[in-house]
Amino acid sequence: MTPRVRLQPEDVGVGMTGQRVRDRLIERLRENGIRDERVLAAIRAVPRHLFVDEALAARAYEDNALPIGHGQTISQPWVVARMTEAVLAGLPAIIDPAQPPKVLEIGTGSGYQAAILAALGVHVHTVERIGDLLRTARKRFRSLGLNVRSKHDDGRIGWPEHAPFDGILVTAGAAALVDALAVQLAVGGTLVAPVGGPSQQALMCVHRQEDGSFTSEELGAVVFVPLLSGVMD
C-alpha cells in the first residue's frame, strides 16, 4: 500500500532524519513483533521529526517517547505501531476510500498517531484538551495534506455526535476504561487504551461483541501520561 501523505522536499529529511534512519526504525519494530506491513509503511512514510521540537529532530527515529511540552509526550514508535496494528485488525484489510472506517483518537498531542491513522486511509476524529497542542497539530495535518477532523474538548467525553466508531484509541492512561468512550464503539469494533496507575499501565485491547458485551486482552505494559478531565487553552 502507499500511505496517503503529501511530502514537501524539505519534509523528507537528511542525516538523522533521513530515509536510512527511518528504515532502521522499521527494522527494529519488525524485530520487536510488529507484523502489519500497512502500519510499517505508514511509519516509514510519515515524517516523525516534524512532530517534535526542532531541537529533538535528531532523536525522532529512536524508539523512544519524547517530550512535546505541557507535560505531554509523543509516544514511542513501537507503542504507536502496536496500537495502530490492534485497531487495524478489526478493520477491512483493504480500506475503501469511498467509505473509510471511522476511528476516534482521545489525546491528539503532537498529532503523530492521528497522522499515522490518516495515512492509512482511516477517517480520523481526534480530541485534545490542550488548545496549544491542538493548534500545532492542525498545522501539521494541513502541511501533510491529511484529512483529520479535530476537536478541542474533554477527551473523556469522546465525540458522541459522530459515534459509533469502528475503532477508538486512547493515548492517555486511566485507572479503568471510560464507560462514555466504550459505548461509542461500534459492534465489532476495537478500543485500545492504557489502563492502570500513574507509573505503569497495561495496554488493553477491547472488542465489542454482537450482543453488545465486551471482551478484552492485554497487549503489554506501557507508561502514558494521565487521562485528565476539562480543557486548557
Side-chain angles (χ1 to χ4, degrees):
M1 67 163 289
T2 302
R4 297 163 171 83
V5 183
R6 183 180 66 206
L7 295 178
Q8 305 299 324
E10 63 271 18
D11 297 339
V12 175
V14 295
M16 294 304 292
T17 62
Q19 197 62 56
R20 184 175 297 179
V21 177
R22 296 190 210 183
D23 288 344
R24 284 201 294 267
L25 172 61
I26 298 305
E27 290 309 310
R28 284 197 295 273
L29 296 178
R30 279 203 183 96
E31 290 167 3
N32 288 320
I34 303 302
R35 296 289 177 259
D36 194 316
E37 289 297 326
R38 298 172 296 173
V39 175
L40 293 170
I43 290 177
R44 179 185 286 110
V46 174
R48 190 172 185 252
H49 64 279
L50 300 184
F51 291 82
V52 298
D53 188 273
E54 189 175 350
L56 294 172
R59 298 183 56 196
Y61 299 100
E62 297 174 2
D63 193 17
N64 294 310
L66 296 170
I68 58 172
H70 300 278
Q72 307 298 300
T73 60
I74 180 173
S75 293
Q76 175 189 358
W78 183 88
V79 172
V80 172
R82 190 68 186 93
M83 294 179 76
T84 306
E85 195 173 55
V87 165
L88 283 191
L91 301 179
I94 299 176
I95 295 174
D96 181 0
Q99 194 172 5
K102 287 194 302 182
V103 173
L104 172 66
E105 179 195 34
I106 302 302
T108 313
S110 69
Y112 181 67
Q113 173 71 81
I116 294 294
L117 290 168
L120 288 161
V122 172
H123 189 188
V124 184
H125 292 65
T126 183
V127 181
E128 173 57 54
R129 65 182 293 271
I130 301 174
D132 189 45
L133 290 180
L134 185 57
R135 287 187 290 273
T136 302
R138 284 170 170 165
K139 292 177 183 176
R140 291 167 176 151
F141 299 148
R142 287 193 295 269
S143 71
L144 292 171
L146 296 172
N147 182 19
V148 176
R149 179 171 289 190
S150 60
K151 182 181 183 183
H152 182 210
D153 207 343
D154 184 339
R156 296 180 70 94
I157 299 170
W159 207 333
E161 56 266 43
H162 289 288
F165 295 95
D166 302 297
I168 299 177
L169 285 177
V170 184
T171 63
L177 289 173
V178 179
D179 290 342
L181 299 178
V183 299
Q184 293 176 42
L185 186 65
V187 171
T190 302
L191 182 154
V192 182
V195 177
S199 60
Q200 183 173 298
Q201 305 95 32
L203 189 61
M204 302 302 298
C205 184
V206 178
H207 308 281
R208 190 165 194 175
Q209 306 301 307
E210 293 290 337
D211 62 1
S213 65
F214 296 91
T215 60
S216 64
E217 60 180 310
E218 186 174 327
L219 302 181
V222 291
V223 179
F224 278 82
V225 297
L227 180 64
L228 301 177
S229 301
V231 296
M232 291 174 52
D233 193 43

